Amino acid sequence: MRGITADQLAEAHQADLAIEKDESVHFEHAWADPVSGVVYCLSEAPSAEAVQRVHERAGHPADEVHPIPLEA
Amino acid sequence: MRGITADQLAEAHQADLAIEKDESVHFEHAWADPVSGVVYCLSEAPSAEAVQRVHERAGHPADEVHPIPLEA
């Protein structure tokens, strides 16, 4: 979403947080670049499908969901 | 890097941390997926070029560096 504002990002993140428990997902963080329009969300989730269901219900389906099982 | 292990990710992250100050970069976090081989790093930095210089000196140049000025 090109031109996304800090408020819009916060609103989208809150919309996820409001319903995440329904899918046992926790959205930890979200970042965005208004120029490219790319938004990144970091979440703990039982599956990619669960993440996508929350995003869809919140009104902003993800283009891609990637697993990142390793962390440092 | 397909098949990357948790130890290898930690080692790569440590290699960045060891020299990050030279470029006024701070690498906050790194994640990876051994299946796809994709590694993601989150950093605070003065520029994308500074991030890439650290990664190159640490022996693992990034394919892409994206700005994410907004955070929620």
Side-chain angles (χ1 to χ4, degrees):
Chain A
M1 184 179 153
R2 290 182 197 277
I4 187 171
T5 66
D7 285 348
Q8 288 170 322
L9 179 64
E11 224 173 275
H13 187 53
Q14 285 307 317
D16 288 333
L17 295 179
I19 59 173
E20 65 179 10
K21 287 190 176 54
D22 298 353
E23 297 281 355
S24 307
V25 176
H26 175 50
F27 288 89
E28 298 178 15
H29 228 100
W31 300 272
D33 175 23
V35 174
S36 65
V38 176
V39 177
Y40 298 90
C41 289
L42 177 66
S43 62
E44 287 273 342
S47 68
E49 293 73 18
V51 172
Q52 185 66 300
R53 281 194 298 268
V54 174
H55 278 327
E56 283 169 352
R57 283 181 52 207
H60 44 253
D63 295 325
E64 302 171 22
V65 179
H66 300 278
I68 42 171
L70 303 185
E71 185 175 351
Chain B
M1 187 178 150
R2 289 182 198 276
I4 187 170
T5 66
D7 285 348
Q8 288 171 320
L9 178 63
E11 224 173 277
H13 187 54
Q14 285 307 317
D16 288 333
L17 295 178
I19 60 173
E20 64 179 12
K21 288 191 177 53
D22 298 353
E23 297 281 356
S24 308
V25 176
H26 175 49
F27 288 90
E28 298 179 15
H29 229 99
W31 299 272
D33 175 22
V35 174
S36 67
V38 176
V39 178
Y40 300 88
C41 287
L42 177 67
S43 63
E44 287 274 343
S47 68
E49 293 74 17
V51 173
Q52 185 67 301
R53 281 194 296 269
V54 174
H55 278 327
E56 283 170 349
R57 282 180 52 206
H60 44 252
D63 295 326
E64 302 170 21
V65 179
H66 300 277
I68 41 169
L70 303 184
E71 183 176 351

